[in-house]
Every structure is written in structure tokens, then in C-alpha cells.
Amino acid sequence: MEYRRERLGELLVAGGVCDLDTIEEALAAQAAVGGKLGEVLVREFGVNEEAIACMLAEQKGLRYVRLSEFGVDREASARIPVEFARSQRAVPVAFDDGSLVVAMADPLDIETMDEIRLMTELRVAPVVATSSDIAYAIEKHMASADVIFEMPEDVQLAEEGEVEPGEEDVPIVRLVNQIVREAVMERASDVHLEPGEDGVQVRFRIDGVLQDVVQLPRNARAGITSRVKIMAELDIAERRLPQDGRTSVIVDGEAVDLRIATLPTPYGEAVTIRILHEGLAFRKLEDLGMAEHHLEIVRDLLSKPYGAILSAGPTGSGKSTSLYAALSLINDPSRKIITVEDPVEYRLPGLTQVAARPKIGLTFAVGLRSILRSDPDVVMIGEMRDPETAQVGVRAALTGHLVLSSIHTNDAPASLTRLVDMEVPPFIVSSALIGVIAQRLARRLCPDCKEQTPLTDEQLVRAGFDLSGETPPQVFRAVGCERCANTGYRGRIGLFEVMSMSDELSRLLLAEAPIEELRDAAVSQGMRTLRADALDKVAAGITSLEELARVVV
């Protein structure tokens, strides 16, 4: 990029970032209190920090990077101490042809560049980033590595319960806190701590796919497991049996619930931490990715005064989020809504939510029987996982209640046979069930780097597209860039299959017809399959054929 000789203030005015009066006032404030012009503009006048950084990069002929979306190389960021990075507002982000690429808030800080060059024995190639982005990158990519570096070789903290929850200065405690914080920053749904012969592998599930994060040393195995168990109030002395619990933490001012499960392995206890973001509970049905024809059917189902509506799919397919979105739609003061969940994942105002506790006898079925004596209009059961719960729940739908629940099946028609498998008589299923919403979650293509891929008509037909229209569908593929951490995907979208019960489906169910006939009947009556919905989203450039193959049979 060509170097520009205009002063920063002149560039900001010319670029429309701020006016001349603001620049003059900022220069006067700078003369009075010191500091850099950009900092004064952001702090005193609320000028956009990123716009200033972009103009600064243009002025100096350097590249601007957005570190919150940049795939920072952990090996590069580990080349300098974290405290030095914080104090100098500089973080190494990559290697480039023998040089260390360093993101800096002040790219003219020659002294800092010289110090980094002496520390690393590498040439320094500066790029420009905002101060807030640099602070984000330091916490995300450097802080946990710094904690690992500080841990003594013989650390066995918390193995015998020596670490109390408030001892935030202990390295193993800060390490766990940093892992959780980084997972929340990365939008991870789960954290997996997997002990092995050489240490503990930390992996995050981001957008439904596991990604390696860091390998912790062997001496951290016992301590990190015990620290997590202390947080969830589990028995740290019991290492032979699986345990589960939950806790809540505050991350950057946001309340985050953690569900924690342990499993004994030959190398120690494996730990899975599920991260529950409160914001997910307040999504609307429209935000989930449902097509308009699906939304119309679901709204019609939810308007019924009674009957059972099931959300179907495997673990991690977004069933709970859809159920909460449905409850939010029908939640009003004129209705009494009671839920029984294991555990209560999200707390919604206006609902009475009951946590199942099987260890003391409060199962779904027991809780549901009590709920039905509490005059509810709408009942939500976390999951129909056993015959007793299924039978009580489906019968509740016959006695004037609208019942919502989830069930583990591959598609909507399979939910009918699954209920029969759980000893619910077919005539009761056909009378009580009014609809099933089956779903999966597919990754969204990154809008900044997705690339159209040419396919022949034969390839499109083989993928399942109907080419009878005037123009063939455009198909995009994942590429990878800074903003999606080189994965080609950012975020997820729901794929849906909505089935309303009909007289024909009831007749086939009572005749014990095979699942194939039930599916064919549902399709003939207008049900769009999961694959059809996925193909629509591929044709719209939202996801890819590769992602379709990963999540839909």
C-alpha cells in the first residue's frame, strides 16, 4: 500500500469519519492532557475506533486487520510475554516469509518493534489493529499459554481438594477460568478436556465441529479435573464413576451457565463442559432459519388449544432452542405454562420451570403428574426418553393441554413409530399428536470468502436439485479467510422438516404401516423433507453441499 503524507486528522475529515470542528477540539484536548489524537477522539468524542485504525493504516501504508475475526497463530503469539504485549498494545499474529507479523495500535512505535525483534530474533512486519481488538487477542490467544508457562513442574493443585473456589491467583484456577472464557469468546457450545498419556487435549465444539485448541501438560491433569469438579460441587474423591453437575460464571459481564459431566478413563477423568448462553433462550422462530411455509405450519400448530407437538432430532441439533422459541411465541399472561426439564437450561420470565431430579425420585413422569394437578394450559417436557414419560405426556395432550417435548429420532415420521416403541398405543398417538418438527444444524458459509463452484447438470441432479426451473441453482463452497478462522463457515442455521398429522397418517399408523409408507404419505401431503430444506439453503448460498452431506442423510 502506498504511503500517504496527509496528517491523520486530514484523512479522518476527508474520509467523513468526523468533521473539522471535532478534530480541532480533539487537538486542543490532546495539547492539554497529552496522548495520541486517535485515543483522544475515541475517548472524548466517541469516534469509531475501527474507522480511525483503518485511516491510520492507510496513512502509514500498512495493512489493517480485524483480530476478532483473524486466525491468530498461537505459536506466533507465544513468542513474547503476555505482560509485554498488554503494556505495549502489540501482539504477534502470524509468520510471513521469515518475519513476525505484529498487530499494533501504534505502528510507529519503533522502540516496541526493536524490543520484539531482539526477543524473537525475527524481523518485525507491523500491521494495524484497534486497541480493543489487541486486548481481545491477548486474552484469547496468549493468556492461557502464559498460565501454562507459570505452572510449576510438580503442580498437583486441587487433587485433594486444596484449591478453594475463590483462590483466583492459583495457576490451575486461572487456567480453567481462561479456558472457559476463551470458549465463550469463540462461541463454543462445548469444551472437551480429554486426558491422555502425554497430557490433556482441550477441544472446543464450534458450529457443531470439534476443533483442537491446546495440549496441556501431564502435570495439569489431576488439578484441572478437580478444579472443574469443585466448581460444579461434585465429589473430587470419586474418580471411578461418572458424575454430572452445573455451575454459573460471569464472562465479560455476561451470565453463562455451565453443565459439567465427567467420565472415568485409563488416564484420568474426561470432562465435558456444555456452555449455555442466555441469549439463545430468547430467539424467535423467525431467527432459527425456518422457511416461511414451515413458519406458517408451526404457528398454526401452536395456536391449537391442545395436542402434542414434538421437536425431533439427535443431540445437539437445536431442539431445546426451538422449544424455547415456541414457548416465547405463546407466552402471555392469559396462559399458565409449566415446564419440567433435566436440567432447566434457560430461565424464561412468565414460566413456571421445574427441574427434574431423578436421584430423589423427581423424574419427568413424576413431575409431569404433579404439573397436571397445577392447572396448566401449556406443558413442556424436556424430553420423552422413557415409556412412562411418553405415556403420561401424550395422554396429557388428550385432556385439554398443549404439550411440547423433544424426542430423539432421525426425522419427523420416525417419531410416530418411536412413540409406539415406547408403548404408547397407536390409537392414542394418532389422537394426541398434532405435529412434529424435525431439525438439524448446518454451518453457514462465511459471506466474506464463499466462492461459487461450477457444477454440471448431472452433478446438480445427483445432489438432488430439480432443474425444471428457468435457471439452474448457484452452489457455493467454503474457502476460508481471516474472518472465519480459515474454516469457510461462520455461525449455524437450522434445517427443518415439519409434519402435521392427518387422517391418512393416522390410518397408516393404526394399520402398523412401515416407516417408509408413513414418510411417503407425509411428503405426498406437502411435507418438505430435511434434505429438501437443506437444498433450498444450498441454492440460496447459505450453506454448502459438503455441509449438507455432513448433517443430512
Side-chain angles (χ1 to χ4, degrees), residues 29 36 39 175 198 201 206 218 228 236 276 287 300 318 326 341 350 387 389 489 493 513:
K36 298 186 180 299
E39 294 174 349
L175 175 60
D198 299 324
Q201 180 66 50
I206 301 173
R218 291 177 59 186
V228 174
I236 62 171
L276 303 173
D287 301 331
D300 179 64
E341 308 168 59
T389 303
Y489 298 94
I493 189 169

Side-chain angles (χ1 to χ4, degrees), residues 225 229 232-245 259-264 269-272 359:
T225 302
K229 291 170 74 173
E233 299 183 356
L234 303 179
D235 184 357
I236 62 171
E238 178 56 75
R239 303 184 183 92
R240 301 164 300 171
L241 296 174
Q243 298 185 65
D244 61 86
R259 287 170 55 182
I260 294 166
T262 67
L263 284 173
E269 291 173 279
V271 178
T272 302
K359 292 181 180 178

Side-chain angles (χ1 to χ4, degrees), residues 316-339:
S317 60
K319 298 188 299 298
S320 295
T321 301
S322 295
L323 287 175
Y324 281 112
L327 289 175
S328 297
L329 180 66
I330 61 177
N331 184 18
D332 63 66
S334 67
R335 289 185 171 188
K336 176 72 171 181
I337 302 177
I338 307 180
T339 75

Side-chain angles (χ1 to χ4, degrees), residues 2 6 11 23 53 129 178 183 238 257 269 305 326-327 467 470 485 534:
E2 183 182 353
E6 294 100 324
L11 284 173
I23 293 295
Q178 180 59 30
E238 178 56 75
D257 283 346
E269 291 173 279
L327 289 175
L467 302 185
E470 295 182 1

Side-chain angles (χ1 to χ4, degrees), residues 91-165:
V91 57
V93 295
F95 297 102
D96 182 19
D97 195 23
S99 297
L100 186 65
V101 180
V102 180
M104 305 179 68
D106 180 8
L108 294 185
D109 189 348
I110 304 299
E111 291 185 6
T112 295
M113 285 191 278
D114 285 343
E115 288 188 63
I116 294 175
R117 180 175 55 79
L118 291 172
M119 276 188 239
T120 63
E121 299 182 348
L122 292 169
R123 295 190 305 273
V124 174
V127 295
V128 180
T130 63
S131 295
S132 57
D133 257 10
I134 288 172
Y136 168 92
I138 290 170
E139 294 304 315
K140 176 180 174 181
H141 299 285
M142 299 182 70
S144 59
D146 195 59
V147 173
I148 296 170
F149 180 76
E150 290 178 9
M151 287 196 305
E153 290 295 325
D154 59 348
V155 66
Q156 294 295 334
L157 299 172
E159 185 171 11
E160 300 300 333
E162 298 170 10
V163 176
E164 295 300 325

Side-chain angles (χ1 to χ4, degrees), residues 204-360:
F204 293 168
R205 187 177 294 280
I206 301 173
D207 293 337
V209 178
L210 281 173
Q211 299 179 13
D212 288 341
V213 177
V214 67
Q215 175 88 10
L216 302 178
R218 291 177 59 186
N219 60 309
R221 282 193 311 208
I224 196 171
T225 302
S226 294
R227 170 58 185 166
V228 174
K229 291 170 74 173
I230 287 173
M231 291 170 63
E233 299 183 356
L234 303 179
D235 184 357
I236 62 171
E238 178 56 75
R239 303 184 183 92
R240 301 164 300 171
L241 296 174
Q243 298 185 65
D244 61 86
R246 67 182 304 161
T247 187
S248 296
V249 296
I250 303 294
V251 178
D252 294 339
E254 178 189 0
V256 179
D257 283 346
L258 306 178
R259 287 170 55 182
I260 294 166
T262 67
L263 284 173
T265 77
Y267 296 104
E269 291 173 279
V271 178
T272 302
I273 305 173
R274 169 149 290 188
I275 300 172
L276 303 173
H277 299 269
E278 288 291 338
L280 294 177
F282 299 96
R283 287 188 178 180
K284 298 180 179 179
L285 285 171
E286 295 84 348
D287 301 331
L288 304 181
M290 280 192 185
E292 188 57 39
H293 60 274
H294 282 153
L295 284 171
E296 291 178 5
I297 299 171
V298 173
R299 291 191 188 109
D300 179 64
L301 292 174
L302 292 171
S303 69
K304 305 294 185 185
Y306 57 85
I309 304 171
L310 299 182
S311 178
T315 301
S317 60
K319 298 188 299 298
S320 295
T321 301
S322 295
L323 287 175
Y324 281 112
L327 289 175
S328 297
L329 180 66
I330 61 177
N331 184 18
D332 63 66
S334 67
R335 289 185 171 188
K336 176 72 171 181
I337 302 177
I338 307 180
T339 75
V340 54
E341 308 168 59
D342 183 17
V344 175
E345 294 189 0
Y346 304 109
R347 293 164 178 82
L348 292 181
L351 274 62
T352 301
Q353 295 176 271
V354 178
R357 299 181 183 275
K359 292 181 180 178
I360 61 172

Side-chain angles (χ1 to χ4, degrees), residues 9 172 200 336-337 436 456:
I172 204 76
V200 180
K336 176 72 171 181
I337 302 177
V436 182
T456 65

